[in-house]
Amino acid sequence: MARLLLLTQALAPSAEVLPALGLLAHQVRTLPAEASVLVDAPECDVILVDARRELFQAKSLCRVIHATGAVAPVIVIVTEGGLAALNGEWGVDDVVLESAGPGEVEARIRLARARFAQPDDEDPTIRHGAIAIDESSYSARLSGRHLDLTYKEFELLKHLVLHPGRVFTRAQLLQEVWGYDYYGGTRTVDVHVRRLRAKLGTDHETLIGTVRNVGYRFVPEHDEVDEAVGAGA
């Protein structure tokens, strides 16, 4: 059981801000979403910031927490529409939708605590060839060029890069990237792959390979060279 500190503008009950919390056994303390409360804030394992409505105020609060040295990982709670406002300037450790199920919320809390406990000198960047993915700022670069990705495009790219060469079916990607609570069709995966390839550019779109009648995989650059050589032989 974790000690959670929920900072919310309206001092709404935790089960209203993030309904999944009502199904979990964590201890939740609710305080106003104001920087002043951080001075005498109780000890906690995770800080939850309610950003469902007042995005600007929530961003300012997150930046204050980050600038003053957070004593625990910070997870921001947003609506689907609020995802577009998130970027590295928030200085948060993770984000969760208000509609997320208890399994996802539990996993994000657990992972945020584990990452926060890592040594400060550990590089949070995932690197594979020309791609560099920074989980802490939800940003990705290709040969030094910033990729302007949506949240789901970022999560999809990260998931594929973390498993180079492994083939994922569309159903697997829906489950592992979109989550158990997503009820959309597998065409959603195709649409996101197409957009992601367009942002990678024509020189690098083959980094995401299609396995006919199966799904998609991340193709390491040396594999691209090997395939090109094989095709010319």
Side-chain angles (χ1 to χ4, degrees):
M1 181 176 71
R3 298 166 300 173
L4 310 179
L5 178 60
L6 174 62
L7 304 180
T8 176
Q9 286 86 5
L11 277 181
S14 60
E16 177 184 319
V17 179
L18 188 58
L21 288 177
L23 301 174
L24 298 173
H26 300 303
Q27 176 186 339
V28 184
R29 175 77 179 273
T30 303
L31 291 177
E34 301 171 358
S36 58
V37 305
L38 299 173
V39 177
D40 298 314
E43 292 186 3
C44 63
D45 299 307
V46 175
I47 299 173
L48 299 172
V49 176
D50 179 8
R52 297 172 301 152
R53 296 179 178 84
E54 303 295 336
L55 283 169
F56 179 78
Q57 290 87 334
K59 178 181 179 180
S60 297
L61 177 59
C62 288
R63 294 183 67 177
V64 169
I65 296 173
H66 180 72
T68 55
V71 296
V74 178
I75 300 178
V76 64
I77 305 167
V78 297
T79 62
E80 185 78 35
L83 288 172
L86 293 174
N87 54 42
E89 295 179 357
W90 283 65
V92 299
D93 298 280
D94 204 352
V95 58
V96 64
L97 288 174
E98 61 172 348
S99 58
E104 179 181 348
V105 173
E106 177 67 26
R108 291 188 180 280
I109 289 173
R110 183 172 63 252
L111 292 173
R113 293 180 67 185
R115 287 195 296 265
F116 193 80
Q118 292 175 349
D120 293 337
D121 58 356
E122 186 166 329
D123 187 357
T125 305
I126 301 167
R127 303 180 189 277
H128 209 298
I131 289 184
I133 296 175
D134 188 341
E135 292 185 279
S136 63
S137 63
Y138 289 90
S139 63
R141 293 184 176 275
L142 177 62
S143 298
R145 173 174 61 90
H146 174 72
L147 296 174
D148 185 16
L149 306 178
T150 65
Y151 175 70
K152 285 303 181 186
E153 288 168 354
F154 173 84
E155 288 293 312
L156 177 59
L157 178 62
K158 182 183 74 173
H159 190 74
L160 291 172
V161 171
L162 281 172
H163 304 88
R166 178 180 168 185
V167 179
F168 291 92
T169 66
R170 292 167 176 81
Q172 285 176 321
L173 290 172
L174 274 180
Q175 176 180 303
E176 296 177 25
V177 177
W178 275 261
Y180 290 98
D181 299 329
Y182 183 77
Y183 295 102
T186 54
R187 177 162 172 73
T188 297
V189 177
D190 297 328
V191 171
H192 280 74
V193 167
R194 185 168 64 249
R195 292 174 178 169
L196 191 51
R197 282 173 171 163
K199 292 180 179 182
L200 290 174
T202 55
D203 292 338
H204 298 281
E205 62 182 2
T206 53
L207 285 171
I208 301 178
T210 300
V211 179
R212 190 180 300 275
N213 298 324
V214 181
Y216 299 102
R217 72 184 185 106
F218 176 71
V219 183
E221 290 178 308
H222 61 82
D223 285 2
E224 290 186 83
V225 173
D226 292 344
E227 290 177 3
V229 171

